Amino acid sequence: MKETILVTGGTGFIGSHTTVELQNAGYEVVIADNLSNSSADVIDGIEKITGIRPAFEKVDLRDFDATEALFRKYPRIRGIIHFAASKAVGESVEKPLLYYRNNIISLVNLLELMPKYEVKGIIFSSSCTVYGQPDVLPVTEESPIKKAESPYGNTKQINEEIIQDTVKSGSPIKSIILRYFNPIGSHPTAIIGEMPNGVPQNLIPYLTQTAIGIRECLSVFGDDYDTPDGSCIRDYIYVVDLAKAHVSAMTRIMEDQIEEPVEIYNIGTGRGTSVLELINAFEKATGVRLNYKIVGRRAGDIEKVWGNVDKANQKLGWRADTPLEEVLATAWRWQVALRERGVM
Ligand code: WQD
């Protein structure tokens, strides 16, 4: 068995899929989550997929003493993957202090405790939102950071700077910052997947809920953008491919292959897909016709962004290679499974 990795936010969408891939790669996993936006049932799902039940601790990482107790209880933790954060863009505009306290204090607590408990490295879950609307596409890791459009996006930028400053101050830790594009899809077993609270804000859960009849109609937020078909373009990455990027990054730290104290990677497919192209791909992949209509633009949406992912491909030896239609089929299978289980 390899080292023990603490996965904060591990009962969430990306955290649960990453736990599965860490276990598949031979790592021991401890999940810490406050269950504010996920359910402990996910632990059963992970065990069902891998046959290994990860340790689970219900913890609020804003509480320094409770966080320190984690490292005391699990002294073999050598790495952290930090997903735990509030992540609803719109909500962050209404409740900025909740976002600054939760997203920043939790990271500060972890960084402060790492040297004391010989935790070697931390992988931070960042986002392409730090780039805003890039001037040049595809966007590279050297592209300028733009002023955040929301407190949520600002906490990602601030946390990246906190990590850089902590390492510069001489802290003996290593860090890899992963800037995700748009994670979509669900595990091929349909045992775990994306479970939005209430009305989904993100495109794919709203799309699959419309396809299955929970939602009446999908609104496409604008078709008057400067793009080939007028709808917004994003880089949609399969959540399992994204999870595997975390394993590659953690192994890079654990096996002392990391070349800088802090490394930053774009984690995407390197390809842009418009909303309308995605709808067509979904209908082709599933044979399900989607009811949608074009409406006005959504405030805060950027027009188009997709990543240059050469650095991750080369340095991490990782590539997102699952075809989009296959990914959309997993999202649909997950929605059907939720219906069959009477969940929604
Ligand atoms: C994608 C596209 C919408 C819903 C956000 C966060 C990002 C990350 C992913 C956390 C846009 C369009 C959407 C709908 C639509 N989150 N859309 N109808 O805004 O690119 O990114 O989620 O890490 O940090 O910023 O994702 O899925 O909301 O939107 O037309 O009902 O789909 O306009 O073009 P977004 P999204």
Side-chain angles (χ1 to χ4, degrees), residues 87 89 127 129 152 180-183 201-204 206 218-221 232 234 236 275 298 301-302:
K87 64 163 192 132
V89 172
S127 168
T129 46
Y152 159 77
Y180 312 156
F181 287 75
N182 288 54
Q201 298 305 306
N202 289 132
L203 176 61
I204 295 305
Y206 202 103
L218 170 71
S219 296
V220 174
F221 297 139
C232 289
R234 295 287 185 277
Y236 294 98
V275 177
R298 177 172 68 175
D301 268 341
I302 59 160

Side-chain angles (χ1 to χ4, degrees), residues 2-8 18 21-22 25 27-29 77-83 114 119-124 174-176 178 243-258 263 265 316:
K2 290 182 180 173
E3 295 86 353
T4 300
I5 307 298
L6 172 66
V7 178
T8 73
T18 300
E21 299 309 326
L22 283 168
Y27 287 102
E28 184 96 32
V29 175
I77 291 174
R78 286 292 164 272
I80 300 172
I81 304 185
H82 184 40
F83 293 106
M114 284 175 70
V119 182
K120 200 170 177 182
I122 182 167
I123 294 175
F124 176 63
K174 307 286 183 206
S175 180
I176 290 183
L178 300 181
K244 289 175 179 171
H246 290 78
V247 178
S248 303
M250 184 51 78
T251 301
R252 184 171 172 85
I253 294 176
M254 290 297 122
E255 294 181 4
D256 300 314
Q257 296 157 0
I258 191 168
E263 292 184 348
Y265 295 94
L316 297 183

Side-chain angles (χ1 to χ4, degrees), residues 93-127:
V93 175
E94 290 155 27
K95 303 174 185 168
L97 294 181
L98 181 146
Y99 274 68
Y100 288 117
R101 175 173 287 127
N102 187 35
N103 293 5
I104 292 171
I105 301 300
S106 56
L107 176 65
V108 168
N109 285 343
L110 291 169
L111 293 173
E112 194 167 338
L113 288 162
M114 284 175 70
K116 184 175 174 183
Y117 290 89
E118 296 171 18
V119 182
K120 200 170 177 182
I122 182 167
I123 294 175
F124 176 63
S125 164
S126 190
S127 168

Side-chain angles (χ1 to χ4, degrees), residues 17 34 48 77 91 134 166 173 193 202 211 222 264 266 285 302 317:
H17 287 81
N34 67 2
K48 212 167 157 190
I77 291 174
E91 183 189 46
T166 304
I173 63 168
N202 289 132
I264 299 176
N266 283 342
I302 59 160

